[in-house]
Amino acid sequence: MLKKTKSFLHETKSKVGLVHGFTACIGAVILSYLSTLLLSIFLEGDYAVKIIPSMITAPILMSIWGIWILFSKTRYIALKKTFFSSSFLLICLYFSINGF
């Protein structure tokens, strides 16, 4: 059973499969949200100055994150990219809010 799961995750495909597509869609939304949240924390000023750049960059970042995840060679790498990138952004958010 474990061997079958490992071969499923490390299997390369010539076309985009369901796991790649689902991981790219969900991962891109999560990563773009975390990226725009980090951007709005670093900007100074009133709410308009913080929200407008995040609203403009969210679709651009979503496309970039999605394409980066989508073109992973295996399903395992796609899941790994999503997990480690979101972990890195969460750590950056934590330190930007609380300080070092």
Side-chain angles (χ1 to χ4, degrees):
M1 179 73 173
L2 185 62
K3 193 173 195 178
K4 187 176 181 181
T5 305
K6 279 187 178 181
S7 68
F8 175 75
L9 286 174
H10 293 287
E11 182 179 315
T12 59
K13 293 283 187 183
S14 60
K15 59 184 179 185
V16 176
L18 182 65
V19 176
H20 273 97
F22 184 74
T23 306
C25 290
I26 300 300
V29 170
I30 292 169
L31 291 173
S32 69
Y33 174 73
L34 291 173
S35 300
T36 55
L37 188 62
L38 190 64
L39 175 68
S40 65
I41 287 174
F42 286 132
L43 294 176
E44 298 288 327
D46 60 348
Y47 287 114
V49 173
K50 290 183 173 189
I51 291 173
I52 299 294
S54 296
M55 288 173 55
I56 292 170
T57 58
I60 297 167
L61 287 172
M62 198 177 302
S63 301
I64 292 170
W65 284 115
I67 290 171
W68 182 62
I69 295 169
L70 191 63
F71 288 129
S72 300
K73 196 166 190 106
T74 63
R75 296 174 183 102
Y76 179 70
I77 293 173
L79 292 170
K80 199 163 72 169
K81 281 182 180 180
T82 304
F83 177 73
F84 286 125
S85 300
S86 61
S87 299
F88 175 73
L89 286 172
L90 283 172
I91 291 169
C92 289
L93 280 170
Y94 176 77
F95 283 125
S96 65
I97 291 172
N98 294 332
F100 291 101

mmCIF file of all heavy atoms in Angstrom, residues 29-74:
data_model
loop_
_atom_site.group_PDB
_atom_site.id
_atom_site.type_symbol
_atom_site.label_atom_id
_atom_site.label_comp_id
_atom_site.label_asym_id
_atom_site.label_seq_id
_atom_site.Cartn_x
_atom_site.Cartn_y
_atom_site.Cartn_z
ATOM 1 N N VAL A 29 -4.174 30.265 -4.772
ATOM 2 C CA VAL A 29 -5.046 31.164 -3.995
ATOM 3 C C VAL A 29 -4.450 31.419 -2.615
ATOM 4 O O VAL A 29 -4.382 32.561 -2.155
ATOM 5 C CB VAL A 29 -6.467 30.577 -3.884
ATOM 6 C CG1 VAL A 29 -7.304 31.346 -2.900
ATOM 7 C CG2 VAL A 29 -7.136 30.566 -5.245
ATOM 8 N N ILE A 30 -4.007 30.358 -1.952
ATOM 9 C CA ILE A 30 -3.440 30.507 -0.609
ATOM 10 C C ILE A 30 -2.158 31.334 -0.643
ATOM 11 O O ILE A 30 -1.974 32.266 0.157
ATOM 12 C CB ILE A 30 -3.182 29.122 0.019
ATOM 13 C CG1 ILE A 30 -4.510 28.431 0.306
ATOM 14 C CG2 ILE A 30 -2.342 29.229 1.289
ATOM 15 C CD1 ILE A 30 -4.377 26.983 0.686
ATOM 16 N N LEU A 31 -1.274 31.028 -1.580
ATOM 17 C CA LEU A 31 0.007 31.731 -1.646
ATOM 18 C C LEU A 31 -0.151 33.185 -2.063
ATOM 19 O O LEU A 31 0.553 34.064 -1.561
ATOM 20 C CB LEU A 31 0.957 30.994 -2.585
ATOM 21 C CG LEU A 31 1.442 29.635 -2.088
ATOM 22 C CD1 LEU A 31 2.234 28.927 -3.172
ATOM 23 C CD2 LEU A 31 2.260 29.787 -0.837
ATOM 24 N N SER A 32 -1.076 33.472 -2.976
ATOM 25 C CA SER A 32 -1.282 34.875 -3.359
ATOM 26 C C SER A 32 -1.916 35.658 -2.212
ATOM 27 O O SER A 32 -1.585 36.828 -1.999
ATOM 28 C CB SER A 32 -2.133 34.979 -4.613
ATOM 29 O OG SER A 32 -3.452 34.575 -4.355
ATOM 30 N N TYR A 33 -2.818 35.027 -1.464
ATOM 31 C CA TYR A 33 -3.400 35.700 -0.296
ATOM 32 C C TYR A 33 -2.327 36.021 0.736
ATOM 33 O O TYR A 33 -2.272 37.142 1.260
ATOM 34 C CB TYR A 33 -4.487 34.828 0.326
ATOM 35 C CG TYR A 33 -5.036 35.388 1.612
ATOM 36 C CD1 TYR A 33 -5.867 36.494 1.607
ATOM 37 C CD2 TYR A 33 -4.697 34.817 2.826
ATOM 38 C CE1 TYR A 33 -6.356 37.020 2.785
ATOM 39 C CE2 TYR A 33 -5.177 35.325 4.006
ATOM 40 C CZ TYR A 33 -6.011 36.429 3.989
ATOM 41 O OH TYR A 33 -6.492 36.940 5.158
ATOM 42 N N LEU A 34 -1.467 35.060 1.036
ATOM 43 C CA LEU A 34 -0.405 35.294 2.009
ATOM 44 C C LEU A 34 0.592 36.340 1.509
ATOM 45 O O LEU A 34 1.083 37.166 2.290
ATOM 46 C CB LEU A 34 0.314 33.987 2.339
ATOM 47 C CG LEU A 34 -0.494 32.955 3.117
ATOM 48 C CD1 LEU A 34 0.287 31.656 3.230
ATOM 49 C CD2 LEU A 34 -0.876 33.476 4.477
ATOM 50 N N SER A 35 0.877 36.345 0.209
ATOM 51 C CA SER A 35 1.811 37.325 -0.354
ATOM 52 C C SER A 35 1.241 38.733 -0.287
ATOM 53 O O SER A 35 1.952 39.678 0.071
ATOM 54 C CB SER A 35 2.123 36.983 -1.809
ATOM 55 O OG SER A 35 2.708 35.722 -1.905
ATOM 56 N N THR A 36 -0.035 38.893 -0.624
ATOM 57 C CA THR A 36 -0.639 40.224 -0.563
ATOM 58 C C THR A 36 -0.825 40.683 0.879
ATOM 59 O O THR A 36 -0.736 41.878 1.164
ATOM 60 C CB THR A 36 -1.987 40.256 -1.298
ATOM 61 O OG1 THR A 36 -2.840 39.248 -0.770
ATOM 62 C CG2 THR A 36 -1.803 40.055 -2.783
ATOM 63 N N LEU A 37 -1.059 39.754 1.789
ATOM 64 C CA LEU A 37 -1.131 40.104 3.202
ATOM 65 C C LEU A 37 0.215 40.602 3.695
ATOM 66 O O LEU A 37 0.295 41.600 4.432
ATOM 67 C CB LEU A 37 -1.582 38.896 4.011
ATOM 68 C CG LEU A 37 -1.907 39.111 5.476
ATOM 69 C CD1 LEU A 37 -3.061 40.075 5.638
ATOM 70 C CD2 LEU A 37 -2.253 37.781 6.114
ATOM 71 N N LEU A 38 1.278 39.951 3.285
ATOM 72 C CA LEU A 38 2.622 40.386 3.649
ATOM 73 C C LEU A 38 2.932 41.751 3.040
ATOM 74 O O LEU A 38 3.534 42.611 3.693
ATOM 75 C CB LEU A 38 3.640 39.344 3.194
ATOM 76 C CG LEU A 38 5.067 39.495 3.673
ATOM 77 C CD1 LEU A 38 5.132 39.356 5.190
ATOM 78 C CD2 LEU A 38 5.952 38.452 3.030
ATOM 79 N N LEU A 39 2.494 41.983 1.808
ATOM 80 C CA LEU A 39 2.696 43.271 1.155
ATOM 81 C C LEU A 39 1.959 44.379 1.893
ATOM 82 O O LEU A 39 2.508 45.465 2.111
ATOM 83 C CB LEU A 39 2.224 43.210 -0.303
ATOM 84 C CG LEU A 39 2.265 44.508 -1.095
ATOM 85 C CD1 LEU A 39 3.698 44.945 -1.326
ATOM 86 C CD2 LEU A 39 1.537 44.341 -2.406
ATOM 87 N N SER A 40 0.727 44.124 2.306
ATOM 88 C CA SER A 40 -0.037 45.165 2.988
ATOM 89 C C SER A 40 0.499 45.453 4.393
ATOM 90 O O SER A 40 0.318 46.545 4.910
ATOM 91 C CB SER A 40 -1.512 44.780 3.072
ATOM 92 O OG SER A 40 -1.687 43.643 3.876
ATOM 93 N N ILE A 41 1.170 44.490 5.007
ATOM 94 C CA ILE A 41 1.786 44.747 6.311
ATOM 95 C C ILE A 41 2.974 45.680 6.170
ATOM 96 O O ILE A 41 3.192 46.562 7.003
ATOM 97 C CB ILE A 41 2.191 43.415 6.990
ATOM 98 C CG1 ILE A 41 0.943 42.693 7.472
ATOM 99 C CG2 ILE A 41 3.151 43.640 8.139
ATOM 100 C CD1 ILE A 41 1.199 41.314 8.012
ATOM 101 N N PHE A 42 3.737 45.539 5.089
ATOM 102 C CA PHE A 42 4.927 46.359 4.905
ATOM 103 C C PHE A 42 4.613 47.785 4.457
ATOM 104 O O PHE A 42 5.428 48.677 4.643
ATOM 105 C CB PHE A 42 5.894 45.717 3.901
ATOM 106 C CG PHE A 42 6.622 44.544 4.470
ATOM 107 C CD1 PHE A 42 6.704 43.362 3.770
ATOM 108 C CD2 PHE A 42 7.226 44.612 5.703
ATOM 109 C CE1 PHE A 42 7.385 42.270 4.286
ATOM 110 C CE2 PHE A 42 7.909 43.536 6.238
ATOM 111 C CZ PHE A 42 7.986 42.359 5.524
ATOM 112 N N LEU A 43 3.462 48.030 3.854
ATOM 113 C CA LEU A 43 3.118 49.368 3.377
ATOM 114 C C LEU A 43 2.647 50.241 4.532
ATOM 115 O O LEU A 43 1.913 49.804 5.413
ATOM 116 C CB LEU A 43 2.036 49.288 2.307
ATOM 117 C CG LEU A 43 2.442 48.612 1.003
ATOM 118 C CD1 LEU A 43 1.247 48.511 0.086
ATOM 119 C CD2 LEU A 43 3.549 49.384 0.324
ATOM 120 N N GLU A 44 3.050 51.490 4.514
ATOM 121 C CA GLU A 44 2.664 52.456 5.534
ATOM 122 C C GLU A 44 1.579 53.373 4.971
ATOM 123 O O GLU A 44 1.525 53.625 3.786
ATOM 124 C CB GLU A 44 3.877 53.304 5.944
ATOM 125 C CG GLU A 44 5.002 52.522 6.559
ATOM 126 C CD GLU A 44 4.668 52.028 7.952
ATOM 127 O OE1 GLU A 44 3.933 52.724 8.670
ATOM 128 O OE2 GLU A 44 5.150 50.936 8.305
ATOM 129 N N GLY A 45 0.724 53.864 5.836
ATOM 130 C CA GLY A 45 -0.297 54.810 5.410
ATOM 131 C C GLY A 45 -1.687 54.330 5.780
ATOM 132 O O GLY A 45 -1.870 53.395 6.567
ATOM 133 N N ASP A 46 -2.692 54.986 5.189
ATOM 134 C CA ASP A 46 -4.070 54.617 5.496
ATOM 135 C C ASP A 46 -4.463 53.335 4.761
ATOM 136 O O ASP A 46 -3.666 52.731 4.064
ATOM 137 C CB ASP A 46 -5.023 55.766 5.162
ATOM 138 C CG ASP A 46 -4.974 56.144 3.689
ATOM 139 O OD1 ASP A 46 -4.058 55.684 2.993
ATOM 140 O OD2 ASP A 46 -5.872 56.884 3.250
ATOM 141 N N TYR A 47 -5.717 52.948 4.928
ATOM 142 C CA TYR A 47 -6.156 51.655 4.387
ATOM 143 C C TYR A 47 -6.153 51.612 2.860
ATOM 144 O O TYR A 47 -5.903 50.565 2.274
ATOM 145 C CB TYR A 47 -7.547 51.309 4.920
ATOM 146 C CG TYR A 47 -7.516 50.907 6.361
ATOM 147 C CD1 TYR A 47 -8.137 51.686 7.333
ATOM 148 C CD2 TYR A 47 -6.859 49.757 6.769
ATOM 149 C CE1 TYR A 47 -8.102 51.325 8.663
ATOM 150 C CE2 TYR A 47 -6.816 49.382 8.083
ATOM 151 C CZ TYR A 47 -7.445 50.174 9.033
ATOM 152 O OH TYR A 47 -7.407 49.820 10.342
ATOM 153 N N ALA A 48 -6.430 52.732 2.211
ATOM 154 C CA ALA A 48 -6.436 52.747 0.741
ATOM 155 C C ALA A 48 -5.042 52.464 0.192
ATOM 156 O O ALA A 48 -4.888 51.748 -0.800
ATOM 157 C CB ALA A 48 -6.943 54.087 0.226
ATOM 158 N N VAL A 49 -4.042 53.026 0.836
ATOM 159 C CA VAL A 49 -2.659 52.806 0.395
ATOM 160 C C VAL A 49 -2.255 51.347 0.608
ATOM 161 O O VAL A 49 -1.470 50.792 -0.153
ATOM 162 C CB VAL A 49 -1.704 53.768 1.151
ATOM 163 C CG1 VAL A 49 -0.253 53.465 0.851
ATOM 164 C CG2 VAL A 49 -2.021 55.199 0.806
ATOM 165 N N LYS A 50 -2.814 50.704 1.609
ATOM 166 C CA LYS A 50 -2.492 49.311 1.878
ATOM 167 C C LYS A 50 -3.290 48.344 1.014
ATOM 168 O O LYS A 50 -2.784 47.301 0.615
ATOM 169 C CB LYS A 50 -2.747 48.989 3.354
ATOM 170 C CG LYS A 50 -1.777 49.623 4.292
ATOM 171 C CD LYS A 50 -2.062 49.185 5.694
ATOM 172 C CE LYS A 50 -0.992 49.689 6.635
ATOM 173 N NZ LYS A 50 -1.118 49.104 7.960
ATOM 174 N N ILE A 51 -4.540 48.665 0.713
ATOM 175 C CA ILE A 51 -5.420 47.721 0.034
ATOM 176 C C ILE A 51 -5.264 47.753 -1.488
ATOM 177 O O ILE A 51 -5.264 46.703 -2.136
ATOM 178 C CB ILE A 51 -6.889 47.988 0.440
ATOM 179 C CG1 ILE A 51 -7.077 47.600 1.894
ATOM 180 C CG2 ILE A 51 -7.850 47.225 -0.437
ATOM 181 C CD1 ILE A 51 -8.422 47.958 2.447
ATOM 182 N N ILE A 52 -5.129 48.950 -2.071
ATOM 183 C CA ILE A 52 -5.092 49.071 -3.538
ATOM 184 C C ILE A 52 -3.938 48.280 -4.163
ATOM 185 O O ILE A 52 -4.164 47.520 -5.113
ATOM 186 C CB ILE A 52 -5.052 50.561 -3.963
ATOM 187 C CG1 ILE A 52 -6.307 51.287 -3.479
ATOM 188 C CG2 ILE A 52 -4.885 50.698 -5.468
ATOM 189 C CD1 ILE A 52 -7.593 50.841 -4.096
ATOM 190 N N PRO A 53 -2.687 48.396 -3.691
ATOM 191 C CA PRO A 53 -1.625 47.572 -4.299
ATOM 192 C C PRO A 53 -1.865 46.066 -4.140
ATOM 193 O O PRO A 53 -1.549 45.286 -5.042
ATOM 194 C CB PRO A 53 -0.367 48.005 -3.557
ATOM 195 C CG PRO A 53 -0.659 49.342 -3.031
ATOM 196 C CD PRO A 53 -2.115 49.357 -2.726
ATOM 197 N N SER A 54 -2.449 45.675 -3.006
ATOM 198 C CA SER A 54 -2.741 44.250 -2.812
ATOM 199 C C SER A 54 -3.822 43.770 -3.773
ATOM 200 O O SER A 54 -3.765 42.648 -4.271
ATOM 201 C CB SER A 54 -3.181 44.004 -1.374
ATOM 202 O OG SER A 54 -2.128 44.291 -0.493
ATOM 203 N N MET A 55 -4.827 44.612 -4.027
ATOM 204 C CA MET A 55 -5.884 44.244 -4.976
ATOM 205 C C MET A 55 -5.346 44.142 -6.398
ATOM 206 O O MET A 55 -5.799 43.298 -7.167
ATOM 207 C CB MET A 55 -7.020 45.277 -4.930
ATOM 208 C CG MET A 55 -7.844 45.200 -3.673
ATOM 209 S SD MET A 55 -9.048 46.526 -3.529
ATOM 210 C CE MET A 55 -9.945 46.392 -5.047
ATOM 211 N N ILE A 56 -4.388 44.963 -6.734
ATOM 212 C CA ILE A 56 -3.814 44.944 -8.081
ATOM 213 C C ILE A 56 -2.889 43.742 -8.259
ATOM 214 O O ILE A 56 -2.903 43.077 -9.302
ATOM 215 C CB ILE A 56 -3.077 46.267 -8.367
ATOM 216 C CG1 ILE A 56 -4.093 47.410 -8.448
ATOM 217 C CG2 ILE A 56 -2.267 46.182 -9.657
ATOM 218 C CD1 ILE A 56 -3.476 48.779 -8.494
ATOM 219 N N THR A 57 -2.105 43.444 -7.246
ATOM 220 C CA THR A 57 -1.115 42.374 -7.391
ATOM 221 C C THR A 57 -1.666 40.971 -7.136
ATOM 222 O O THR A 57 -1.017 39.996 -7.513
ATOM 223 C CB THR A 57 0.085 42.603 -6.453
ATOM 224 O OG1 THR A 57 -0.391 42.682 -5.110
ATOM 225 C CG2 THR A 57 0.838 43.859 -6.818
ATOM 226 N N ALA A 58 -2.833 40.858 -6.503
ATOM 227 C CA ALA A 58 -3.376 39.524 -6.177
ATOM 228 C C ALA A 58 -3.591 38.647 -7.409
ATOM 229 O O ALA A 58 -3.145 37.492 -7.420
ATOM 230 C CB ALA A 58 -4.656 39.659 -5.361
ATOM 231 N N PRO A 59 -4.257 39.125 -8.487
ATOM 232 C CA PRO A 59 -4.418 38.241 -9.664
ATOM 233 C C PRO A 59 -3.107 37.922 -10.369
ATOM 234 O O PRO A 59 -2.919 36.806 -10.871
ATOM 235 C CB PRO A 59 -5.337 39.025 -10.593
ATOM 236 C CG PRO A 59 -5.838 40.168 -9.837
ATOM 237 C CD PRO A 59 -4.986 40.364 -8.646
ATOM 238 N N ILE A 60 -2.188 38.872 -10.352
ATOM 239 C CA ILE A 60 -0.888 38.647 -10.989
ATOM 240 C C ILE A 60 -0.113 37.575 -10.214
ATOM 241 O O ILE A 60 0.432 36.633 -10.804
ATOM 242 C CB ILE A 60 -0.085 39.963 -11.067
ATOM 243 C CG1 ILE A 60 -0.831 40.968 -11.944
ATOM 244 C CG2 ILE A 60 1.321 39.720 -11.587
ATOM 245 C CD1 ILE A 60 -0.312 42.381 -11.837
ATOM 246 N N LEU A 61 -0.097 37.722 -8.892
ATOM 247 C CA LEU A 61 0.597 36.734 -8.066
ATOM 248 C C LEU A 61 -0.078 35.369 -8.134
ATOM 249 O O LEU A 61 0.592 34.338 -8.119
ATOM 250 C CB LEU A 61 0.662 37.210 -6.618
ATOM 251 C CG LEU A 61 1.638 38.340 -6.326
ATOM 252 C CD1 LEU A 61 1.464 38.829 -4.903
ATOM 253 C CD2 LEU A 61 3.058 37.888 -6.563
ATOM 254 N N MET A 62 -1.403 35.366 -8.225
ATOM 255 C CA MET A 62 -2.119 34.100 -8.323
ATOM 256 C C MET A 62 -1.732 33.358 -9.601
ATOM 257 O O MET A 62 -1.530 32.143 -9.586
ATOM 258 C CB MET A 62 -3.625 34.338 -8.281
ATOM 259 C CG MET A 62 -4.423 33.122 -7.946
ATOM 260 S SD MET A 62 -6.179 33.448 -7.818
ATOM 261 C CE MET A 62 -6.261 34.693 -6.566
ATOM 262 N N SER A 63 -1.613 34.083 -10.681
ATOM 263 C CA SER A 63 -1.203 33.457 -11.944
ATOM 264 C C SER A 63 0.224 32.946 -11.883
ATOM 265 O O SER A 63 0.513 31.831 -12.344
ATOM 266 C CB SER A 63 -1.329 34.465 -13.082
ATOM 267 O OG SER A 63 -2.634 34.926 -13.193
ATOM 268 N N ILE A 64 1.101 33.738 -11.312
ATOM 269 C CA ILE A 64 2.505 33.336 -11.222
ATOM 270 C C ILE A 64 2.666 32.112 -10.322
ATOM 271 O O ILE A 64 3.341 31.143 -10.690
ATOM 272 C CB ILE A 64 3.370 34.510 -10.721
ATOM 273 C CG1 ILE A 64 3.417 35.602 -11.786
ATOM 274 C CG2 ILE A 64 4.770 34.051 -10.350
ATOM 275 C CD1 ILE A 64 4.033 36.899 -11.311
ATOM 276 N N TRP A 65 2.051 32.141 -9.132
ATOM 277 C CA TRP A 65 2.133 30.986 -8.229
ATOM 278 C C TRP A 65 1.517 29.749 -8.865
ATOM 279 O O TRP A 65 2.057 28.649 -8.754
ATOM 280 C CB TRP A 65 1.429 31.273 -6.908
ATOM 281 C CG TRP A 65 2.148 32.163 -5.942
ATOM 282 C CD1 TRP A 65 1.739 33.391 -5.529
ATOM 283 C CD2 TRP A 65 3.374 31.918 -5.249
ATOM 284 N NE1 TRP A 65 2.636 33.910 -4.633
ATOM 285 C CE2 TRP A 65 3.641 33.030 -4.432
ATOM 286 C CE3 TRP A 65 4.265 30.857 -5.240
ATOM 287 C CZ2 TRP A 65 4.760 33.108 -3.623
ATOM 288 C CZ3 TRP A 65 5.384 30.941 -4.434
ATOM 289 C CH2 TRP A 65 5.622 32.055 -3.636
ATOM 290 N N GLY A 66 0.371 29.918 -9.530
ATOM 291 C CA GLY A 66 -0.307 28.776 -10.147
ATOM 292 C C GLY A 66 0.511 28.128 -11.250
ATOM 293 O O GLY A 66 0.599 26.897 -11.330
ATOM 294 N N ILE A 67 1.112 28.942 -12.101
ATOM 295 C CA ILE A 67 1.941 28.402 -13.182
ATOM 296 C C ILE A 67 3.176 27.715 -12.614
ATOM 297 O O ILE A 67 3.577 26.648 -13.080
ATOM 298 C CB ILE A 67 2.318 29.519 -14.176
ATOM 299 C CG1 ILE A 67 1.074 29.942 -14.956
ATOM 300 C CG2 ILE A 67 3.417 29.079 -15.121
ATOM 301 C CD1 ILE A 67 1.265 31.173 -15.813
ATOM 302 N N TRP A 68 3.764 28.306 -11.579
ATOM 303 C CA TRP A 68 4.945 27.711 -10.963
ATOM 304 C C TRP A 68 4.620 26.346 -10.361
ATOM 305 O O TRP A 68 5.397 25.398 -10.489
ATOM 306 C CB TRP A 68 5.480 28.663 -9.897
ATOM 307 C CG TRP A 68 6.721 28.193 -9.212
ATOM 308 C CD1 TRP A 68 7.942 27.958 -9.769
ATOM 309 C CD2 TRP A 68 6.854 27.891 -7.823
ATOM 310 N NE1 TRP A 68 8.831 27.539 -8.808
ATOM 311 C CE2 TRP A 68 8.186 27.491 -7.607
ATOM 312 C CE3 TRP A 68 5.990 27.929 -6.744
ATOM 313 C CZ2 TRP A 68 8.667 27.133 -6.362
ATOM 314 C CZ3 TRP A 68 6.470 27.576 -5.498
ATOM 315 C CH2 TRP A 68 7.790 27.183 -5.318
ATOM 316 N N ILE A 69 3.481 26.230 -9.714
ATOM 317 C CA ILE A 69 3.082 24.941 -9.136
ATOM 318 C C ILE A 69 2.649 23.966 -10.221
ATOM 319 O O ILE A 69 2.938 22.777 -10.170
ATOM 320 C CB ILE A 69 1.964 25.145 -8.093
ATOM 321 C CG1 ILE A 69 2.483 25.953 -6.914
ATOM 322 C CG2 ILE A 69 1.419 23.813 -7.609
ATOM 323 C CD1 ILE A 69 1.401 26.426 -5.981
ATOM 324 N N LEU A 70 1.942 24.459 -11.215
ATOM 325 C CA LEU A 70 1.378 23.603 -12.249
ATOM 326 C C LEU A 70 2.440 22.886 -13.073
ATOM 327 O O LEU A 70 2.248 21.745 -13.485
ATOM 328 C CB LEU A 70 0.472 24.424 -13.170
ATOM 329 C CG LEU A 70 -0.401 23.679 -14.147
ATOM 330 C CD1 LEU A 70 -1.398 22.818 -13.394
ATOM 331 C CD2 LEU A 70 -1.135 24.655 -15.031
ATOM 332 N N PHE A 71 3.562 23.534 -13.303
ATOM 333 C CA PHE A 71 4.604 22.926 -14.125
ATOM 334 C C PHE A 71 5.601 22.108 -13.317
ATOM 335 O O PHE A 71 6.745 21.927 -13.733
ATOM 336 C CB PHE A 71 5.326 23.986 -14.953
ATOM 337 C CG PHE A 71 4.489 24.512 -16.072
ATOM 338 C CD1 PHE A 71 4.319 25.871 -16.245
ATOM 339 C CD2 PHE A 71 3.853 23.655 -16.943
ATOM 340 C CE1 PHE A 71 3.536 26.361 -17.268
ATOM 341 C CE2 PHE A 71 3.072 24.135 -17.966
ATOM 342 C CZ PHE A 71 2.912 25.498 -18.133
ATOM 343 N N SER A 72 5.180 21.599 -12.187
ATOM 344 C CA SER A 72 6.024 20.680 -11.420
ATOM 345 C C SER A 72 6.099 19.345 -12.145
ATOM 346 O O SER A 72 5.156 18.932 -12.810
ATOM 347 C CB SER A 72 5.439 20.468 -10.029
ATOM 348 O OG SER A 72 5.367 21.675 -9.335
ATOM 349 N N LYS A 73 7.216 18.683 -11.988
ATOM 350 C CA LYS A 73 7.419 17.428 -12.705
ATOM 351 C C LYS A 73 6.572 16.294 -12.136
ATOM 352 O O LYS A 73 6.028 15.494 -12.875
ATOM 353 C CB LYS A 73 8.895 17.068 -12.673
ATOM 354 C CG LYS A 73 9.284 16.038 -13.673
ATOM 355 C CD LYS A 73 10.784 15.990 -13.798
ATOM 356 C CE LYS A 73 11.170 15.142 -14.956
ATOM 357 N NZ LYS A 73 11.634 15.876 -16.098
ATOM 358 N N THR A 74 6.453 16.221 -10.815
ATOM 359 C CA THR A 74 5.661 15.169 -10.189
ATOM 360 C C THR A 74 4.640 15.789 -9.232
ATOM 361 O O THR A 74 4.731 16.973 -8.900
ATOM 362 C CB THR A 74 6.550 14.196 -9.389
ATOM 363 O OG1 THR A 74 7.178 14.907 -8.327
ATOM 364 C CG2 THR A 74 7.588 13.534 -10.267
#
